[in-house]
Amino acid sequence: MKKCNMFPYSLSEFLIIFQLIFLALAPAAFSSDDAVLRIETGMHTAVIGRIGVDARNRFLVTGSHDKTVRVWDLEDGTLLKTLRPPIGHGKEGKINAVAISPDGGTVAAGGYTGYEWDEKYSIYLFDRATGVMTGRITGLPNDIKHIAYSPKGRFLAATLGADGIRIFRAGPGGGTLAGEDRDYGGRSYWADFAPDGRLVTACLDGFIRLYAPVGNGDLKLLKKKTAPEGKEPFSAVFSPDGTRIAVGFNDSAKVDVLSAADLSHLYSPDTGGANNGNLCSVAWSHDGGRLYAGGTYDSGGQSPILSWPQAGKGKVRELDGADMTIMHVLPLAGGGMAFGAGDPAFGLLSSSGERTLFQAPAIADYRNNREGFLLSGDGKSVRFGYEVRGKSPAVFDPTARRLDQSEPSSSNLYSPDMTSLDITDWKNDDSPRLNGKPLKLKQYEMSFSVAVSPAKDRFLLGTVWYLRYFDASGNERWNTPVPGVAWSVNLARNGKTAAAAFGDGTIRWYRVSDGSELLAFFPHKDRKRWVLWSPSGYYDASPGAEDLIGWHVNNGKDRAADFFPASRFRDRFYRPDVVAKVLDVLDENEAVRLADLAAGKKRQETDMMRLLPPVVTIHGPVHGQEFSSSAVTVAYSVRSPSGEPITSVQALVDGRRVGTKGKPVRPDSDTLSVAVPERDCEIGVIAENRYAASEPAVVRIKWKGKTTDEFVFKPKLYVLAVGVSQYRDKTLNLRYAAKDARDFVDAMKKQKGGLYRDVETTLLTDEQAVKDNILDGLEWLQRQTTAKDTAALLLSGHGMNDASGVYYFLPSDFDEKRIKRTGLMFADIKNTVAAVAGKILVFADTCHAGNIMGGRKGTADINAFVNELASAENGAVVFSSSTGKQVSLERPEWNNGAFTLALVEGISGKAAYGKDGTKITINMLDLYLSERVKELTEGLQTPTTTKPHTVPDFPVAVKR
């Protein structure tokens, strides 16, 4: 039987992982100032244990074992805030339970929280709007399983496993104990308040407990009774009128409805074909007319949500849920419901049962793909599947920086050897054996994967907590902790490296001699973005992917932690040259030394605490606030964690700069007057020190003034297109780059009278495209574009990186002996992009093969170019023809490069996927480019679109 307290997945083979993950030994000691490198996808990367909704249904909060709490806009699913408790290196910081106060102002979160500092557990209280930690309820004897607010927000109930329940006073100055019951004989996972303040709990000791409304100093037990359909009640919730209680079970796919007066059994809904797993989470609809339940019950490989009309007496219906366990279900005021799941995922269902929103996980699912997890003979390239059982396969080569999904070849890629030694009982078991003799693991430690060495004298075992390397006699040679379940492992034929695929979506390489981690790889589930990094944080990333990792920095036990995306430290840590050498030399420090030597660099400062950028918080306006004037006053505060002086503060509107302010007189509190358009928009504030810019603090506001006809003030479009086919160095010549630029200009000119009132263009091709003319064109683009206009820059031709990694676009008069004088340096492009007042689109088609840099065949590394232009402080939307070291293809049958052919087709109307069939937005164009270029090149070229998260999707063209 699958159980909610043990297992968040819907596949029956893994029965107890959920609980096992938290039975590990105490985590290693750590300083509250430690900087921890973590994955950040904008979505949870581990099971969502609980969710919460405010009384007005404006916000949804989700808590996860990935140690974050997230606040979402319940209307459209937009992520509003990520709340970060202090964390440790082990289980410290994993969130089991969340709740939001009825007024939506405070978020409470708890789990394995606080023990590392106090040897007692804590509940953290956050201000929902700012993310500031406002309080901490301390001294709890066990980890927190569930949190619930009373209907008026006066009290907060917390279940503490086998240590019973505690009731605390909420609100300003709250956190004091108001009542408790410690007489529990098992783990309690649920508590719920009735409208009149009564309380009900469910406990695995078999009892439902009903309490009188909470008083000022006691918790009066009214009734304690077992429920008929299962021995382990997991959840218990009052109906909206407070007359009935629905109960879900950990050990049964049944549901009971009890009297809320005396816990007597009223009826049990018909669960139909629910003949496996359980229905551990139950909920009533907002009006009490429907009953919902979900859990580990599996139907066709998914976990549905069951729904009954007539308060649970009608015929059962299965609704769309998630792939894995439904962990929590909550009613919504409009008649629908919200749910959280173990995928991790969350979603919304309408009153009719239709799924109106679903946020899927962003991580690859490596389960059930042991044989398909292949490793090259030299231990570098790895084949994996994005989906369970190895579906959607891909091969990643970290040295070539190439992610290949075009029917990946298995040549020189080898499956793990799982049979050469007599290893048994290792598959999803806690008692693996070698030659019939048990291997020594920790209590409850389950193993999931195994690989035998090429010499057949060693083997690697992957478990829920560790990678363990044994000799042929069963003696452990080393072990290393893992970031998630080790679903698959493999050992390279060279005997030097091992690789493993984990439950957090990463694939990691290890040195076989001692188990030291060498590299970690995270492929985003969108099949485009990836990031690769070393233990110290040196990284390589595809366009738009560098912020998939970042540094979590604790600020002590009483303050929320900070998070700094990797892009904030690009100058120090973006080192593809280092990363590419790690698997050659099997040592990070040696890879750094060799890369620095090759580039003529000195070892740079990498003390994370000294490099931290500022942190900005917006205190007003608040999310969703209405405005009706042309300017909004933004109240903000700035902190400098590194102690470095703040050099500037800038305002952003929809991702573009609208003003700059010098060093604040009062760095802790100040205001900015921000000019805003007459429409809904997003305001951001960004601060800088000498090292880096902060992450923008953002807030979305709504226009309530008179709406001006959008066609009266149409923007102008300014286009600078540079295309070089004919170079002074004839070895660099291309066939279609100049034609690509001309075709792009012709397509954009046709937009006059459509989305734009006018289109002005500057076209530079071949002999016109010398460096001075391009610089003049950039100046023209910057000077002409106003805040209401849109600029577009196309670069088609060769790009290159010099020996130190600096990117150059090659004008037609480029001389490889005078790179700095004749090449167009990236800084000139970036400075123009950042200074343009309006929206700016950059189209980069500069990765054509050619004889560059002294006859070496190669292409430009476009990744850093794209990522920096699309940083929040620069604000460009960048369309790149390819990724990494891919070549941009051009062929006679196309009479263009593949990218520009697809771009012109898309702008001309083929990318108009919207309902009206005319407007073409960034996202639509991105989708068309991806599919069309893949079709043209048979998967050999992968275009990418990268934009700051502060820039919303917006129209760029209309079908003409």
Side-chain angles (χ1 to χ4, degrees), residues 109 120 249 372 385 629 774:
K120 294 285 186 178
F249 295 91
S629 61
I774 299 174

Side-chain angles (χ1 to χ4, degrees), residues 119 133 207 236 271 290 307 375 390 392 409 420 523 534 559 575 648 655 818 832 883 899 959:
E119 295 188 353
M133 187 187 295
F207 290 101
T271 53
R290 303 192 70 86
S307 171
L375 194 60
S392 300
S409 170
S420 290
S534 69
R559 295 175 61 191
R575 293 295 302 272
S648 69
R818 298 185 302 152
T832 298
T883 181
F899 175 74
K959 187 175 182 179

Side-chain angles (χ1 to χ4, degrees), residues 554-598:
N554 288 316
N555 290 309
K557 62 184 180 181
D558 293 307
R559 295 175 61 191
D562 293 321
F563 183 81
F564 303 99
S567 63
R568 304 300 94 187
F569 313 101
R570 185 185 297 114
D571 291 345
R572 297 295 198 277
F573 286 100
Y574 179 70
R575 293 295 302 272
D577 55 341
V578 170
V579 174
K581 295 181 186 311
V582 171
L583 294 183
D584 288 327
V585 299
L586 304 181
D587 182 86
E588 183 188 42
N589 286 330
E590 179 64 6
V592 173
R593 187 187 71 82
L594 293 174
D596 285 346
L597 184 64

Side-chain angles (χ1 to χ4, degrees), residues 294-588:
T296 63
Y297 165 57
D298 185 297
S299 178
Q302 292 188 323
S303 293
I305 294 170
L306 301 191
S307 171
W308 297 268
Q310 302 172 35
K313 295 181 180 180
K315 184 177 180 180
V316 66
R317 177 186 173 193
E318 289 191 1
L319 309 178
D320 286 339
D323 287 342
M324 300 182 188
T325 300
I326 303 299
M327 300 299 298
H328 198 182
V329 184
L330 283 176
L332 299 177
M337 45 82 65
F339 65 89
D343 299 35
F346 69 84
L348 306 180
L349 297 180
S350 68
S351 58
S352 63
E354 301 301 317
R355 195 160 72 181
T356 58
L357 175 70
F358 185 71
Q359 183 66 55
I363 61 175
D365 188 344
Y366 301 131
R367 293 173 298 144
N368 294 342
N369 188 38
R370 300 178 184 91
E371 295 81 2
F373 183 63
L374 311 183
L375 194 60
S376 60
D378 61 7
K380 296 178 181 178
S381 296
V382 62
R383 179 173 178 168
F384 63 96
Y386 281 99
E387 300 179 54
V388 66
R389 299 183 182 88
K391 296 178 182 178
S392 300
V395 173
F396 181 70
D397 183 339
T399 302
R401 312 168 70 198
R402 183 173 64 247
L403 180 64
D404 187 0
Q405 301 170 67
S406 56
E407 298 184 4
S409 170
S410 296
S411 60
N412 192 38
L413 293 170
Y414 304 95
S415 297
D417 179 356
M418 296 181 281
T419 60
S420 290
L421 293 177
D422 185 20
I423 309 168
T424 59
D425 303 319
W426 59 266
K427 188 180 293 186
N428 318 327
D429 205 318
D430 60 357
S431 302
R433 298 173 182 270
L434 175 66
N435 300 323
K437 181 180 178 181
L439 295 168
K440 188 176 181 180
L441 305 182
K442 294 187 181 298
Q443 188 178 16
Y444 307 118
E445 182 180 1
M446 290 186 69
S447 61
F448 293 92
S449 51
V450 71
V452 178
S453 68
K456 308 187 189 322
D457 60 347
R458 301 279 193 277
F459 65 95
L460 184 64
L461 190 72
T463 80
V464 68
W465 296 326
Y466 294 94
L467 292 182
R468 297 183 180 274
Y469 193 58
F470 296 91
D471 64 23
S473 298
N475 300 310
E476 186 176 272
R477 310 300 294 225
W478 53 258
N479 68 67
T480 187
V482 296
V485 178
W487 296 122
S488 302
V489 295
N490 206 337
L491 288 164
R493 293 197 169 191
N494 66 4
K496 297 179 179 180
T497 56
F502 295 109
D504 69 342
T506 63
I507 293 172
R508 298 176 189 245
W509 285 260
Y510 296 84
R511 190 166 57 210
V512 165
S513 62
D514 60 3
S516 296
E517 183 177 319
L518 297 171
L519 288 178
F521 168 61
F522 179 78
H524 193 281
K525 206 169 183 178
D526 64 10
R527 276 78 160 167
K528 293 181 180 181
R529 290 177 287 167
W530 57 262
V531 59
L532 180 71
W533 68 96
S534 69
S536 296
Y538 296 108
Y539 71 92
D540 189 7
S542 67
E546 63 180 344
D547 284 349
L548 291 175
I549 58 170
W551 297 91
H552 172 110
V553 178
N554 288 316
N555 290 309
K557 62 184 180 181
D558 293 307
R559 295 175 61 191
D562 293 321
F563 183 81
F564 303 99
S567 63
R568 304 300 94 187
F569 313 101
R570 185 185 297 114
D571 291 345
R572 297 295 198 277
F573 286 100
Y574 179 70
R575 293 295 302 272
D577 55 341
V578 170
V579 174
K581 295 181 186 311
V582 171
L583 294 183
D584 288 327
V585 299
L586 304 181
D587 182 86
E588 183 188 42

